[in-house]
Amino acid sequence: MRKLLLSVLLGIFSLGAHADGFITRLLNHPVPGGVAVVGLPQQTEAPRAQYDGKPVLIIREDGERWIAIVGIDLKTPPGAQQLQLGNGQQITFQVRGKDYEQQHITLRNKSQVNPAPAQLARIQRELDEQLAAYARFSPRQPSNLMLDHPVPGRLSSAFGLRRFFNGEERNPHSGLDFAAAAGTPIKAPAAGEVILTGNYFFNGNTVFVDHGQGLISMFCHLSRIDVKAGDEVARGGVLGAVGATGRATGPHLHWNVSLNGHRVDPAIFIGAFQP
Ligand code: ZN
């Protein structure tokens, strides 16, 4: 047992001893709503690991060491978290604190601040459908982990903003917004399978793409959807066009990135993380 523990510890320390690879340097931002890159034991076969009872993304970085890429829920308090390995071992990693800013939005359509009771059943059904899509775990390896911008244009609202609609606090911003003109084509930031499309109360016309191993993108408020569930899309393949459908104050792209069932900051995956 002591030898096992020691080898796990050495596995962790080897993160520091080796020069970290590109993916580790890009993605390792272990904050609430961020990503932890955790070194795994050296072995021939891919190790298996779970976090929060869900399988996590595992790759072999630079062809030499196994790493787990773990999505951290925005509600996670700073402190120690555990990764469970398939062989029964645990690896501890630390989550740092992060303060997110506030955003105040005025909506003239009051029914989108406090939806009418008649709409609640629809909203719940849509939420269940979307959570089921985020819960998927397919074995494919993501084609790329440095993701492409799905549209050109500046970043507008950041992930994690604490949002107040007409003064009432609602869920924090679960994705990253791009300012882009209506009709701008939205391109897949990595290859994947379209697993869900729909027209939703809050998100408007929406597309989900499964990039593999629990890495899932959602694109919202589209004016037009060009794909359907079951379609394979190449990296750069067009999914639809920017619009303002659903709860949107104007045309923009809202992009969510989910990892092992947790929404994480998409800015991390395009090299634009703000600590
Ligand atoms: Zn948004």
Side-chain angles (χ1 to χ4, degrees):
M1 189 62 199
R2 178 155 290 187
K3 263 188 182 163
L4 274 180
L5 269 177
L6 187 64
S7 64
V8 170
L9 287 172
L10 288 173
I12 293 168
F13 288 130
S14 69
L15 264 179
H18 294 152
D20 287 343
F22 172 73
I23 294 300
T24 298
R25 293 196 307 275
L26 178 74
L27 299 182
N28 190 36
H29 300 289
V31 297
V35 171
V37 178
V38 182
L40 299 175
Q42 296 301 314
Q43 56 187 69
T44 315
E45 299 258 304
R48 285 177 300 123
Q50 292 201 339
Y51 174 64
D52 266 359
K54 298 190 194 101
V56 299
L57 167 58
I58 291 171
I59 66 161
R60 191 162 216 181
E61 184 165 41
D62 301 331
E64 59 177 41
R65 63 189 190 99
W66 296 106
I67 55 174
I69 301 170
V70 183
I72 303 165
D73 188 87
L74 190 54
K75 295 194 185 86
T76 306
Q81 293 287 314
Q82 313 292 333
L83 193 66
Q84 309 286 337
L85 299 192
N87 62 8
Q89 294 174 27
Q90 285 194 349
I91 299 179
T92 297
F93 62 94
Q94 298 294 327
V95 175
R96 297 193 297 264
K98 179 173 176 178
D99 291 323
Y100 288 99
E101 289 178 11
Q102 296 186 5
Q103 179 186 37
H104 291 263
I105 298 170
T106 302
L107 291 172
R108 283 201 201 89
N109 182 347
K110 302 262 190 315
S111 76
Q112 291 183 324
V113 180
N114 289 306
Q119 285 155 338
L120 293 179
R122 174 188 171 188
I123 290 166
Q124 187 60 51
R125 188 173 67 242
E126 293 177 354
L127 184 64
D128 291 347
E129 192 172 297
Q130 295 177 53
L131 287 176
Y134 283 131
R136 285 181 48 131
F137 191 89
S138 55
R140 72 194 295 161
Q141 283 273 337
S143 59
N144 46 293
L145 287 169
M146 171 108 200
L147 299 178
D148 301 330
H149 289 221
V151 291
R154 73 182 170 82
L155 310 181
S156 41
S157 291
F159 170 89
L161 283 174
R162 294 178 55 198
R163 298 182 306 176
F164 297 77
F165 291 101
N166 299 3
E168 297 182 36
E169 184 160 19
R170 290 294 179 266
N171 288 334
H173 194 219
S174 60
L176 174 63
D177 289 352
F178 289 82
T184 304
I186 299 165
K187 296 180 178 177
E193 179 191 351
V194 177
I195 54 170
L196 180 65
T197 66
N199 178 268
Y200 298 118
F201 180 81
F202 288 119
N203 293 336
N205 289 326
T206 297
V207 174
F208 280 77
V209 177
D210 180 355
H211 302 297
Q213 291 204 41
L215 181 65
I216 291 165
S217 281
M218 175 179 78
F219 307 89
C220 301
H221 311 307
L222 279 59
S223 61
R224 190 187 76 228
I225 295 176
D226 292 344
V227 290
K228 60 183 188 312
D231 285 357
E232 278 293 321
V233 288
R235 178 180 184 176
V238 174
L239 304 169
V242 171
T245 53
R247 187 171 69 184
T249 49
H252 71 283
L253 173 65
H254 173 102
W255 175 33
N256 272 13
V257 172
S258 185
L259 195 53
N260 48 269
H262 296 312
R263 257 53 76 212
V264 294
D265 186 354
I268 292 172
F269 293 84
I270 56 173
F273 178 73
Q274 301 287 327

